[in-house]
Structures are given as C-alpha cells and as structure tokens.
Amino acid sequence: MSLPLISGDRVIGLVVLGDARFSLGFPADEIALLYQVADQIAVGVENSEEFERLRERDRLAALGEMSAG
C-alpha cells in the first residue's frame, strides 16, 4: 500500500507499507487511520523544511551583521 504525503498542492513523499497478515489488502478502518498518519507525517516534513529555511535565514542575517560591524 502506498500513501502520498501531500503538502498544499504538491506531493512531498510517499509512505509504502506492507503486511503479510493482510494478503488481500488492509481493512478500510486501518486505511483511514493510515491516511491520517500520512497527513501528520506530511505536516512534520513541512515544519522541518520551514525550520531549515528559517535557520538559514538567521545564519545569513548573522553573517551580514558581522560583516557590517
């Protein structure tokens, strides 16, 4: 089973799952839960990317202040 990690209007990744106990597929209630988990993973990835952008911005701002001084 493959679940997309969706952020806004783009796919940022995939979660691929398999379980030998479910040879005919996953039950519907578990599929719904797995989609919720995939949504939470996408939020975590999105937050991590934003944190890295902010960290780089702060690093460049500190370099600018040091060079101005």
Side-chain angles (χ1 to χ4, degrees):
M1 174 175 182
S2 298
L3 299 168
L5 300 178
I6 300 173
S7 174
D9 60 346
R10 65 187 178 109
V11 175
I12 59 173
L14 289 173
V15 175
V16 180
L17 303 167
D19 193 336
R21 296 176 296 164
F22 302 117
S23 61
L24 299 176
F26 287 88
D29 59 336
E30 288 191 12
I31 291 173
L33 286 173
L34 291 171
Y35 270 105
Q36 290 178 359
V37 169
D39 288 343
Q40 291 300 313
I41 293 170
V43 168
V45 169
E46 191 175 80
N47 288 343
S48 176
E49 289 174 348
E50 183 64 23
F51 176 77
E52 289 301 319
R53 280 192 293 272
L54 291 173
R55 192 169 79 159
E56 180 66 11
R57 184 201 65 192
D58 291 345
R59 185 185 74 81
L60 292 174
L63 284 173
E65 287 177 17
M66 286 184 351
S67 66

